[in-house]
Amino acid sequence: MNSERQYIDLYCQCKDVIKAHSAQVMNDVRDKAYEDFVAMGLPDKKVERYKYTDMQKLFEPDYGLNLKRLDIPVNPYDVFRCDVPNLSTSLYFVVNDSFYTKAEPKGHLPEGVIVGSLAKVAADCPELVAKYYSRIAKTGDDGVTALNTMLAQDGLFVYVPANVVVDRAIQVINILRSDVDLMVNRRVLIVLEKGAEAKFLFCDHAADDRNFLSTQVIEAYVGENASLDLYCLEETHYKSVRVSNVYIEQQANSRVNHNVITLHNGVTRNRLDLVFKGEGAECYANGCVIADKSQHVDNNTLIDHQAGHCCSHQLYKYVLGDSAVGAFAGKILVRHGAQKTTSNEINQNLCTTRQARMFTQPMLEIYADDVKCSHGSTVGQLNDAAMFYMRQRGISEKEAKLLLEFAFVNEVIDQMKLEPLRERLHYLVEKRFRGELNKCEGCKLCK
């Protein structure tokens, strides 16, 4: 209990301050989250879903927290412009774990759509937020989710009413900014009512050369016949620790496209829990990881087929160099009665050095007899025959290696539905392989 003791003591000493600078809806579940955290603590490597990442070690350092919500001296427009050419977006910023209210969003949102500070909307419309907040991200099931719920004071809230289509993608820039080592606890709540459609692009960046520990919990409710596209792109730095838990609930005939791309990081642990609550729903979960040096990236997924006639597709690819460590553990769970389920899970990995390590664990757990489910994984190195073929045709060894790596991850990038984002990622991935993406693209503070 050494790592979690500091957080238990912190909450006991500062819970009045935490609650005073948040909303009642968030406070209503805070004490229960504290009790669950005390009971469970942080998961160790004996916990099956955390066996590849030492959470105790990650949370052990003493980080500062901005519990009094002091204003951070930063203009995100001056710090970072994460523009995707030819992609028109409604632009918002979250600085550390606070929604940035001084910025004017680009573009006009349809009537009834809400995008704003979770704490403010929870204060203004408590019935709306209370209906969904902390309902699928259960604090009794996961120590990190309990810790986040215990400490989170703000974040992002998005609500799209029934049958409303948000044509313009909603782009959220998460900026880590601090003069001291900092822990941030960010919360995101997305609600798409029946027949609603929305696309989101979350970009994570670190603007200062400090140690950052960020926990993030995203809850997404996707109503009947609704459609959600969620793209999460991380470009932080080697001093950043990111622990993100994404919970998605799909109703009948809904569609979800979830994509996570890790281009620069220190230690990253992504969790996706997606559950089908109604028949005829479909999801695509894709991941692309490029890591080198001593970076660590762990993706853990659970696709829970509780209803029949649903389809799920997973494709995760890693390219690891130097002493990087990658991990993928994905479970497809088909429950009793979930007949006519179709599901496939693929994890393919490329280790370009002898020191790189990849742990892969695809799993099927099936309790229905009329299903089509498959899973598989591969771990390999660059194809010697292909390298020889290109070298014989005058291509340098470095360029041939880059071409093979680029071709390997292209399959994931080509799954992206937003064409401008797809083209941008092709550009960023190529720069990443060439070693030219050492800083956040466009970041002025890092230069």
Side-chain angles (χ1 to χ4, degrees):
M1 294 285 288
N2 292 334
S3 296
E4 47 269 78
R5 172 50 57 186
Q6 61 177 319
Y7 301 104
I8 293 171
D9 293 343
L10 172 72
Y11 187 77
C12 292
Q13 296 166 11
C14 303
K15 63 180 178 180
D16 291 339
V17 174
I18 294 172
K19 293 179 179 180
H21 292 84
S22 189
Q24 187 59 44
V25 171
M26 302 178 74
N27 293 337
D28 287 342
V29 298
R30 204 177 296 279
D31 288 342
K32 171 63 163 56
Y34 165 75
E35 293 171 3
D36 289 334
F37 183 72
V38 171
M40 289 183 298
L42 289 164
D44 57 28
K45 298 183 77 171
K46 295 179 183 178
V47 177
E48 179 66 23
R49 296 195 69 176
Y50 287 90
K51 63 192 294 185
Y52 300 118
T53 303
D54 189 347
M55 306 302 290
Q56 295 278 340
K57 181 179 178 181
L58 296 181
F59 283 81
E60 189 174 17
D62 184 14
Y63 291 92
L65 289 96
N66 186 15
L67 299 181
K68 293 184 178 180
R69 320 312 294 161
L70 300 178
D71 190 38
I72 303 296
V74 59
N75 183 341
Y77 287 103
D78 291 337
V79 173
F80 193 87
R81 295 297 301 275
C82 188
D83 289 331
V84 179
N86 303 318
L87 177 63
S88 180
T89 66
S90 296
L91 184 63
Y92 301 88
F93 296 95
V94 175
V95 179
N96 295 330
D97 48 10
S98 297
F99 184 82
Y100 188 76
T101 58
K102 300 176 184 178
E104 289 296 327
K106 288 182 177 179
H108 174 70
L109 294 173
E111 184 177 355
V113 175
I114 301 173
V115 180
S117 161
L118 175 59
K120 185 177 186 306
V121 177
D124 296 341
C125 309
E127 299 85 2
L128 176 61
V129 177
K131 183 179 178 181
Y132 299 101
Y133 183 73
S134 194
R135 291 296 186 262
I136 54 175
K138 299 185 184 302
T139 58
D141 294 341
D142 183 82
V144 175
T145 296
L147 178 64
N148 177 278
T149 306
M150 182 176 87
L151 297 178
Q153 295 171 284
D154 193 16
L156 176 72
F157 177 74
V158 180
Y159 175 79
V160 183
N163 301 314
V164 172
V165 177
V166 183
D167 292 324
R168 190 190 300 264
I170 296 171
Q171 185 176 13
V172 181
I173 311 298
N174 296 316
I175 298 177
L176 296 173
R177 170 76 175 92
S178 179
D179 295 329
V180 298
D181 294 350
L182 187 71
M183 177 186 187
V184 302
N185 299 285
R186 186 186 309 119
R187 199 70 181 222
V188 178
L189 178 57
I190 299 171
V191 180
L192 304 186
E193 296 284 13
K194 180 178 179 179
E197 295 184 19
K199 302 178 182 66
F200 296 87
L201 172 58
F202 288 88
C203 303
D204 284 18
H205 303 281
D208 288 295
D209 187 23
R210 294 290 180 179
N211 293 310
F212 290 102
L213 169 62
S214 60
T215 73
Q216 174 178 263
V217 172
I218 298 177
E219 294 180 281
Y221 295 81
V222 187
E224 184 177 346
N225 289 306
S227 177
L228 168 67
D229 283 17
L230 180 59
Y231 302 91
C232 300
L233 172 63
E234 182 181 5
E235 288 182 86
T236 54
H237 57 51
Y238 73 100
K239 292 184 178 180
S240 172
V241 175
R242 177 181 186 267
V243 183
S244 176
N245 291 354
V246 178
Y247 299 87
I248 300 176
E249 181 178 286
Q250 290 189 240
Q251 301 300 328
N253 301 307
S254 61
R255 186 192 67 84
V256 166
N257 184 15
H258 177 265
N259 300 269
V260 57
I261 305 102
T262 305
L263 294 185
H264 262 300
N265 74 308
V267 178
T268 297
R269 208 275 176 172
N270 297 316
R271 168 174 173 163
L272 169 64
D273 283 22
L274 186 146
V275 57
F276 292 108
K277 287 291 189 179
E279 294 189 350
E282 184 176 25
C283 82
Y284 290 85
N286 303 307
C288 173
V289 175
I290 301 173
D292 53 19
K293 302 181 179 66
S294 58
Q295 295 165 346
H296 180 106
V297 184
D298 179 356
N299 282 292
N300 189 289
T301 69
L302 170 61
I303 308 298
D304 188 352
H305 288 261
Q306 295 186 6
H309 298 270
C310 294
C311 300
S312 65
H313 313 273
Q314 295 183 75
L315 175 63
Y316 281 76
K317 287 196 171 190
Y318 290 61
V319 177
L320 306 175
D322 297 331
S323 299
V325 176
F328 173 82
K331 176 188 280 189
I332 299 169
L333 173 59
V334 183
R335 297 186 183 263
H336 291 285
Q339 305 293 355
K340 302 296 183 182
T341 289
T342 301
S343 184
N344 58 75
E345 178 182 64
I346 299 173
N347 172 225
Q348 296 176 332
N349 311 286
L350 194 61
C351 293
T352 63
T353 64
R354 289 184 175 274
Q355 293 74 35
R357 293 290 180 267
M358 182 67 202
F359 301 91
T360 177
Q361 187 181 16
M363 294 170 280
L364 293 176
E365 189 172 335
I366 301 173
Y367 299 98
D369 55 11
D370 188 7
V371 302
K372 293 181 180 178
C373 297
S374 64
H375 69 312
S377 67
T378 60
V379 180
Q381 297 178 322
L382 292 172
N383 188 298
D384 290 337
M387 285 284 291
F388 179 77
Y389 179 87
M390 287 187 283
R391 292 297 307 279
Q392 289 292 97
R393 280 149 185 80
I395 301 175
S396 69
E397 181 178 357
K398 180 179 179 180
E399 194 70 16
K401 178 174 177 289
L402 183 146
L403 289 172
L404 289 176
E405 293 171 340
F406 191 64
F408 181 77
V409 299
N410 258 358
E411 185 180 0
V412 176
I413 298 174
D414 288 341
Q415 301 290 322
M416 312 293 174
K417 302 296 183 183
L418 292 174
E419 184 176 351
L421 176 61
R422 195 163 62 238
E423 295 303 316
R424 180 65 170 173
L425 285 174
H426 282 307
Y427 168 75
L428 291 176
V429 166
E430 181 179 352
K431 289 192 69 175
R432 177 68 174 89
F433 281 135
R434 292 186 184 278
E436 300 172 2
L437 202 65
N438 292 323
K439 297 171 183 160
C440 301
E441 184 73 11
C443 177
K444 295 179 180 178
L445 290 183
C446 298
K447 291 182 178 179

